[in-house]
Amino acid sequence: MIQALRTVLWFVVVTLLLVVAAVKLPEQLARAQVPAEFDDQSGLVPMTGVWLAPPPFAAGDVVAFRFGDGPDDVGFGVVRALPGEQVRLVGGELLVDDNEVNGWKDAGLYQGIHDVGPMTVPAGHLFVVSTNHRYDSLARGVIGPDQVLGKVRE
Amino acid sequence: MIPCQACGNQNPIGTRYCRRCGEKVHADQQQVMQAVQSTNDDLASRKWLERGRSALVIGAFLLVCALVLRYAVVPPMPSAEVPPVDAGPFIPAELPKVEAKAEAAAPAVKPALAR
Amino acid sequence: MTSGQRSLVGMSMLAAGLLLVLAAAGIAWSGVQRWLAVSETRDALEMLRRDRVADARKLAAKASARVPDEVAPALLALDTADLDAVERIEAIAARGTSRADRETAHAAMALARVAKGKAAGFDLEGSADGRLLAAMAAANAGRDPGRLKPVDGEAPPHLNVLRAAHTVLLRRAWQAGKVSEVRAHAGALLLLRPRAPEAPLMHLLVGAGSALLPDAEAIKLCEAVKQEQEAAIRAVAALLPQRRAAIAARWPKAVEGLP
């Protein structure tokens, strides 16, 4: 009789645990709106030798982003403008909301043209500039939310 | 089980002397058959219990695996994006009538920042 | 416990175990479907970035069939020219759990309606989308759209709302002969998508509209335009009288009949 009670009790406990897990787990995971590339527990993932952290991003963060389908199509750059900010190229200088960006190096894109824009960075997108401009926003446009892998941790 | 006629103790099938009082155990054919049947039922019920327990454990394990797959392994859906619309051509159908000398060139705005 | 009771408990547990296996199979199946849908939606976004709109729409439609309640694939699969399909998005948006997705769906519906010359139908006040769509509607109706000056604290615009608004406003400014406005809208489109098929034309408009660019460089920019080159060069010549002589030397037909 005791064994029967124990079996039934075990059964009830397991069922209750499963029901709680089935109801609560989706809620908890829905709250964690971070890209799948990140480990939910630590918020970090090792990738191409660097550690990445999830959003939110700020101007000056170095981010990794995909620019193609291939596993090696990953670029790195500095976030220069966030959604809603205005980007403008004036006389070889980069202006974000009319403030000059330091550490910017013009690589001759739009050469001879002294005033381009202004362009508002769309929702969810980032304006990212890298050193050689091959894969950054100046060469390929704003980086979409599905392209950003995360920011490089110091 | 075979009951002892002397003390009533239940002895396993095949016992010749009672395990409690030592009296010889007599069992008729019907009693032996009943005892065999009862033992078989007992074994069968234990098997059912074992099967049930295994099924429950396997089911629970698979359910946990499925929940992990569904809610932890599957990547999140990308955020919704407004689809492109056909906003028409860039070049206007009707060209501007700007006189060659009437309007000056676009102002030569070389900003102060220009090097 | 008698053997009968024990058998009953065992059989109940077996039945419960089988039910758990069935539930696990159902959840795993939905997980696999969702995984495929996420992958297809990401591929569709990548295709959109490469201007393969029809392929992106097809892929997103497959994803949307797998997860009918998700707003992201439903929006990507949307044929914005079909207003009946646009209206059906509202039901999906209402089921969507994310507020941001609902707002995006409303912006998409409003954009599709405004592009068809209808009223937006949604109050998008406080967002840049609302301001851009109002300017677009005004330009389409032949009214002055005003200046596209961002307002502090407004929600940033969506990429395709921004593109559509700049396209409409660029065309209107071009037609009106307003060079500085044409340069501003072309510059915004160029910075948004420097690799888009229209980018060489935008580069030409920004460059040729600047008095600092020599004619020889402007001609090089004209040569880089591949889509509707003749019409584009003629329209640029019509907009920029100071470039007509240089254009006439290279493409004499382009300036024929211009004042």
Side-chain angles (χ1 to χ4, degrees):
Chain A
M1 187 66 192
I2 289 166
Q3 200 191 353
L5 275 175
R6 211 164 52 191
T7 310
V8 170
L9 197 67
W10 184 77
F11 174 75
V12 169
V13 167
V14 169
T15 311
L16 271 177
L17 277 175
L18 287 171
V19 168
V20 169
V23 172
K24 287 286 169 193
L25 198 63
E27 285 177 21
Q28 291 300 319
L29 289 165
R31 277 191 205 129
Q33 291 288 325
V34 292
E37 286 79 6
F38 299 109
D39 176 357
D40 280 345
Q41 298 303 312
S42 64
L44 299 170
V45 67
M47 201 200 67
T48 59
V50 294
W51 289 80
L52 300 177
F57 306 122
D61 284 344
V62 177
V63 292
F65 54 91
R66 284 194 213 97
F67 57 79
D69 291 336
D72 298 329
D73 294 345
V74 175
F76 292 88
V78 182
V79 176
R80 293 301 187 186
L82 297 166
E85 291 183 330
Q86 284 207 317
V87 175
R88 189 173 184 175
L89 289 175
V90 178
E93 297 290 342
L94 179 70
L95 303 188
V96 175
D97 280 351
D98 294 330
N99 299 312
E100 194 181 337
V101 172
N102 293 322
W104 146 263
K105 193 181 159 201
D106 184 359
L109 284 152
Y110 316 123
Q111 203 170 16
I113 301 174
H114 295 275
D115 193 357
V116 185
M119 179 267 292
T120 309
V121 180
H125 291 67
L126 297 173
F127 191 86
V128 176
V129 177
S130 58
T131 44
N132 64 7
H133 306 308
R134 276 182 73 192
Y135 307 115
D136 68 1
S137 294
L138 283 158
R140 291 168 182 260
V142 286
I143 306 289
D146 59 308
Q147 292 174 277
V148 182
L149 297 169
K151 62 182 169 192
V152 176
R153 274 179 53 109
E154 289 176 13
Chain B
M1 299 298 238
I2 308 294
C4 169
Q5 284 83 353
C7 69
N9 183 43
Q10 294 286 333
N11 295 293
I13 303 166
T15 309
R16 299 182 80 185
Y17 298 96
C18 176
R19 287 186 171 179
R20 189 199 280 169
C21 65
E23 280 294 316
K24 194 164 186 185
V25 177
H26 296 284
D28 57 25
Q29 188 68 19
Q30 198 185 350
Q31 273 179 323
V32 171
M33 290 304 290
Q34 272 177 355
V36 168
Q37 183 64 39
S38 153
T39 306
N40 282 346
D41 286 353
D42 192 53
L43 284 173
S45 72
R46 280 179 198 283
K47 263 190 182 169
W48 273 116
L49 204 60
E50 207 49 52
R51 279 184 202 136
R53 201 175 281 166
S54 303
L56 210 55
V57 168
I58 291 167
F61 175 73
L62 289 178
L63 189 65
V64 169
C65 288
L67 284 169
V68 168
L69 171 81
R70 169 66 181 80
Y71 295 107
V73 177
V74 176
M77 183 63 77
S79 48
E81 189 52 70
V82 173
V85 295
D86 179 13
F90 296 99
I91 305 165
E94 202 178 309
L95 296 182
K97 291 183 176 65
V98 183
E99 294 289 333
K101 285 179 184 174
E103 185 169 310
V109 186
K110 187 161 187 179
L113 284 163
R115 280 173 289 211
Chain C
M1 184 159 55
T2 64
S3 55
Q5 286 170 327
R6 210 160 27 217
S7 297
L8 197 66
V9 170
M11 284 176 197
S12 310
M13 285 164 76
L14 187 70
L18 287 175
L19 281 178
L20 287 183
V21 171
L22 282 178
I27 292 168
W29 176 249
S30 85
V32 169
Q33 289 298 310
R34 193 176 175 78
W35 201 335
L36 291 171
V38 168
S39 171
E40 285 160 352
T41 306
R42 284 186 171 177
D43 288 348
L45 282 168
E46 185 62 39
M47 282 177 182
L48 264 191
R49 266 194 289 278
R50 293 175 188 182
D51 284 294
R52 290 167 58 191
V53 179
D55 291 339
R57 203 172 277 166
K58 257 187 223 165
L59 208 55
K62 270 171 78 180
S64 189
R66 293 184 202 280
V67 282
D69 286 348
E70 278 293 340
V71 179
L75 279 185
L76 292 176
L78 181 65
D79 177 6
T80 44
D82 177 3
L83 283 185
D84 290 336
V86 171
E87 300 310 319
R88 286 197 292 274
I89 285 293
E90 190 154 19
I92 299 173
R95 287 201 297 268
T97 48
S98 151
R99 190 179 158 217
D101 280 359
R102 267 200 304 278
E103 285 174 355
T104 306
H106 289 167
M109 292 175 72
L111 175 63
R113 287 172 185 160
V114 170
K116 282 267 177 185
K118 302 200 171 200
F122 285 107
D123 180 18
L124 299 169
E125 207 142 304
S127 73
D129 286 340
R131 194 167 46 77
L132 290 167
L133 289 172
M136 221 174 126
N140 279 337
R143 286 180 276 119
D144 181 19
R147 287 197 66 193
L148 280 187
K149 208 168 165 58
V151 178
D152 282 343
E154 70 178 3
H158 286 93
L159 175 70
N160 285 315
V161 177
L162 207 51
R163 277 182 64 196
H166 280 303
T167 305
V168 169
L169 297 178
L170 164 73
R171 191 169 59 234
R172 188 179 188 278
W174 198 338
Q175 197 161 346
K178 295 177 179 172
V179 179
S180 61
E181 278 186 34
V182 168
R183 287 191 75 232
H185 294 304
L189 287 167
L190 180 62
L191 286 176
L192 264 179
R193 299 168 76 241
R195 293 187 140 211
E198 73 271 14
L201 176 61
M202 300 306 134
H203 206 157
L204 167 63
L205 288 171
V206 175
S210 164
L212 296 171
L213 195 78
D215 279 344
E217 293 295 322
I219 294 300
K220 276 186 195 167
L221 292 176
C222 286
E223 284 167 349
V225 176
K226 300 292 177 222
Q227 289 183 334
E228 298 179 85
Q229 192 193 43
E230 206 171 301
I233 291 170
R234 184 174 170 77
V236 168
L239 177 73
L240 305 165
Q242 74 274 22
R243 301 284 185 198
R244 276 183 206 164
I247 290 171
R250 176 78 172 77
W251 293 280
K253 278 188 181 174
V255 294
E256 267 177 22
L258 291 178

